[in-house]
Amino acid sequence: MLYQSIFHQTFLSFLLCITTLSLVASDPTDGFTRLPLSSSNFQVQKPHDVPQDQRYTFSNGVHTFIVFNTDKPHTSTSNTKPRTEIRITGYDYTSGVWQFEGYFYVPSGTTGVCIQQVFGGVTAATTSQSRVYSGSLTHYLSPTLETNIYNKWYRFNVIHDVGANNVKIFINGVQKFNGNGRGADDHYFKFGVYAQDGASYRMESRWRDIKIFRR
């Protein structure tokens, strides 16, 4: 009976361990292949009449983006709102499953701004926009992905499955959004600051450890 009791306890412990492991969320990059990325893939877009170093810097591995709501667009012929962004080049895509990863930091006071985009779509210019409004990170205007984000670093992952017309967003490895895309088009990733309605006078985001994956 003693051996039987020990066996049962050991078996139950084993089952508990397996159950616990099954509840642990997998990393969003599992099953993906990381692609080579260098500074040559980073195209800076900033107000066309301002020197780049007044709106964008890269120091100690951190990209810092600043834009003001009174700034001009990134080209003299554009009618878009002001932005300071990096457009990732060399990895435009029209099919497949692609993933962007980076760590972002938004200082307090920044609001009404898009900090990351999946560009391209049939029904709109973008398939995904992650925006900051009053300290919350949102997918477009809603839903809210994370609250109280100011002055903290967050891991950010967005997965775009073109064929399934699906977008997933993860914050610190936890899925926060799973929804429809906006149709297959010529897509690419962008990150930085891009003013939206209700933009604060000064907008800033910082990014580090940028990676691109494909499955």
Side-chain angles (χ1 to χ4, degrees):
M1 292 295 292
L2 176 61
Y3 290 113
Q4 187 178 28
S5 176
I6 293 174
F7 172 78
H8 285 160
Q9 290 177 13
T10 303
F11 183 67
L12 288 174
S13 297
F14 173 75
L15 288 179
L16 179 61
C17 179
I18 294 298
T19 302
T20 301
L21 288 173
S22 68
L23 293 175
V24 176
S26 61
D27 189 279
T29 63
D30 287 350
F32 283 79
T33 299
R34 182 178 173 181
L35 303 176
L37 198 63
S38 70
S39 59
S40 64
N41 300 108
F42 294 157
Q43 179 188 73
V44 178
Q45 298 178 345
K46 48 80 182 176
H48 68 83
D49 61 336
V50 178
Q52 180 172 297
D53 62 4
Q54 291 186 17
R55 296 293 185 271
Y56 166 78
T57 59
F58 180 67
S59 178
N60 296 321
V62 176
H63 305 268
T64 300
F65 303 86
I66 296 169
V67 78
F68 296 89
N69 63 13
T70 53
D71 277 337
K72 293 182 179 180
H74 62 298
T75 69
S76 59
T77 57
S78 174
N79 293 317
T80 59
K81 293 180 182 294
R83 72 183 75 198
T84 304
E85 293 182 301
I86 281 179
R87 182 249 205 257
I88 295 181
T89 64
Y91 292 114
D92 292 20
Y93 61 95
T94 57
S95 62
V97 184
W98 292 76
Q99 181 170 182
F100 168 96
E101 177 181 278
Y103 290 76
F104 73 82
Y105 178 102
V106 178
S108 57
T110 291
T111 192
V113 64
C114 172
I115 63 170
Q116 200 278 341
Q117 302 187 60
V118 179
F119 192 83
V122 173
T123 61
T126 59
T127 284
S128 174
Q129 285 193 348
S130 294
R131 302 180 183 178
V132 176
Y133 290 106
S134 301
S136 291
L137 186 72
T138 63
H139 178 66
Y140 291 103
L141 294 173
S142 66
T144 297
L145 307 174
E146 191 77 14
T147 60
N148 302 315
I149 67 167
Y150 286 148
N151 307 318
K152 292 175 281 187
W153 284 100
Y154 288 89
R155 183 188 181 196
F156 176 92
N157 296 73
V158 57
I159 299 174
H160 181 205
D161 185 334
V162 181
N165 193 36
N166 177 258
V167 174
K168 294 182 176 68
I169 298 175
F170 297 78
I171 306 296
N172 289 339
V174 178
Q175 184 175 294
K176 298 289 184 156
F177 178 80
N178 182 0
N180 292 333
R182 297 190 171 187
D185 196 52
D186 183 19
H187 300 284
Y188 50 84
F189 298 115
K190 304 183 77 176
F191 61 103
V193 279
Y194 175 29
Q196 305 296 309
D197 290 342
S200 52
Y201 173 64
R202 185 183 188 276
M203 292 155 275
E204 178 181 341
S205 76
R206 304 170 197 170
W207 287 86
R208 59 177 174 83
D209 301 323
I210 305 301
K211 303 179 181 70
I212 299 294
F213 302 86
R214 185 178 183 181
R215 187 171 64 203

